[in-house]
Amino acid sequence: MSDFDFDFELNANPHQFIHQHTTSSQNTWDKFHSHPGMEFIYVLQGEGSAIIDQNIYPFKPGSLMYFQPFQLHRVKADIPEKTFYIRSKLLLEPSIIDSYLQKFTALYRFFQHLWHSNLNCQVIQVTNSSQFETLFTLYGSRYKQLEITEDFALFFLLFITTVKDQWNVQNQMERETQLRHIHYAEYVMRWIDANYHEEFTLESLVKELHLSRFHISHLFRKATGSSITEYLTYRRLREASFLLRTTSLPLQEICSKIGIGNISYFCQLFKRNIGATPSQYRIKQ
């Protein structure tokens, strides 16, 4: 287990790496956040689910998860007693590597796609896990000695080549085989995405799906590990984060746009989930 933790601000350390980061069954791993930088997580042991935008992605050993800069996401690991959730994590500010990749046309196009595009899939099951494990083991043994950007660029060139080889149509089509309750949960998230700015009532959702309150709530929690109300909060905070980063709208107007009527409650909710007050978050952007 590494004792190194990410500095998500990426100011002092624009590229960061943890190899075989371990969480035991004694600790619940259920993270919901957004941050600067591109983040890759390669799972060596453990299972769970990642919620990104309106989609649920199950993960297991051999899964590679990817999160775009400032993309709100939730990772929940199910850790049975006496077992571990083990993963290697890479975080980087994409602008530091951009110029190094420009000479490699196909890789650069793929890198830009990951950075800026709306992605169809963000968790893939790799078909050759030894490639990632070898690459991470080699880089992990040298990470603290490699402070020069050129050294990191060489590693990332090999890494993004490996990712590109695995990022294929077959992996993306696997989502079509998921269980029915996951599809219901994704419908709920799409409904929330269209209605989060309004006052929420479960009855409105019940009418859309023609299912009982209990059945909808049960299916959603089974698929995502959270309640519908919790996901509604996540979606509202995602929009609030975007508005704080990209506009100068006052907090009262932002609250109105995300369906929250009380500024004080909004500030408490934002700080509890994002780790900073709305004002602090806006200043850092």
Side-chain angles (χ1 to χ4, degrees), residues 130-235:
S130 62
Q131 290 180 328
F132 283 99
E133 292 170 11
T134 299
L135 191 59
F136 283 149
T137 297
L138 176 62
Y139 187 63
S141 66
R142 303 180 60 200
Y143 170 74
K144 291 185 178 180
Q145 286 74 44
L146 297 182
E147 300 296 337
I148 303 173
T149 301
E150 286 81 357
D151 293 323
F152 174 74
L154 179 59
F155 161 74
F156 191 76
L157 184 64
L158 295 172
F159 173 74
I160 200 67
T161 299
T162 306
V163 172
K164 181 176 179 294
D165 290 342
Q166 298 289 333
W167 206 277
N168 54 54
V169 174
Q170 180 179 353
N171 293 125
Q172 296 190 21
M173 292 302 293
E174 285 182 357
R175 287 183 48 73
E176 298 301 322
T177 64
Q178 290 182 15
L179 298 176
R180 187 166 175 248
H181 67 265
I182 290 184
H183 291 305
Y184 270 119
E186 290 181 346
Y187 184 92
V188 169
M189 288 190 285
R190 287 194 295 271
W191 187 90
I192 289 175
D193 191 61
N195 296 279
Y196 67 88
H197 55 284
E198 305 287 349
E199 181 179 356
F200 174 75
T201 62
L202 189 56
E203 286 72 19
S204 300
L205 183 56
V206 166
K207 290 180 181 178
E208 287 281 340
L209 284 177
H210 305 290
L211 295 174
S212 70
R213 293 167 55 98
F214 171 79
H215 199 187
I216 290 178
S217 300
H218 174 72
L219 289 174
F220 192 85
R221 183 172 290 279
K222 184 176 180 180
T224 69
S226 67
S227 69
I228 293 174
T229 302
E230 287 171 334
Y231 183 77
L232 173 64
T233 298
Y234 300 160
R235 182 61 185 89

Side-chain angles (χ1 to χ4, degrees), residues 254-272:
I254 290 177
C255 286
S256 177
K257 286 182 176 293
I258 64 171
I260 295 178
N262 187 300
I263 292 182
S264 177
Y265 171 70
F266 166 67
C267 291
Q268 294 174 12
L269 198 66
F270 194 92
K271 182 174 177 58
R272 184 165 67 245

Side-chain angles (χ1 to χ4, degrees), residues 2-3 5-6 8 28 32 58 62 65 69 105 118 120 125 140 158 182 187 206 224 232 236 267 271 282:
S2 170
D3 58 0
D5 290 321
F6 276 170
F8 284 109
T28 301
F32 165 75
M65 296 182 269
T105 305
N118 292 324
N120 294 327
Q125 191 66 22
L158 295 172
I182 290 184
Y187 184 92
V206 166
T224 69
L232 173 64
R236 284 172 166 170
C267 291
K271 182 174 177 58
R282 174 172 266 169

Side-chain angles (χ1 to χ4, degrees), residues 13-25:
N13 302 299
H15 55 87
Q16 302 171 38
F17 181 72
I18 306 178
H19 184 47
Q20 296 185 354
H21 193 60
T22 302
T23 302
S24 72
S25 59

Side-chain angles (χ1 to χ4, degrees), residues 18-60:
I18 306 178
H19 184 47
Q20 296 185 354
H21 193 60
T22 302
T23 302
S24 72
S25 59
Q26 297 176 348
N27 300 302
T28 301
W29 188 262
D30 186 356
K31 295 293 183 181
F32 165 75
H33 62 180
S34 65
H35 49 71
M38 305 172 82
E39 182 181 13
F40 297 87
I41 299 177
Y42 179 69
V43 180
L44 294 103
Q45 182 176 315
E47 298 183 359
S49 61
I51 298 177
I52 310 168
D53 295 332
Q54 301 167 341
N55 299 307
I56 306 165
Y57 300 94
F59 66 80
K60 59 184 178 181

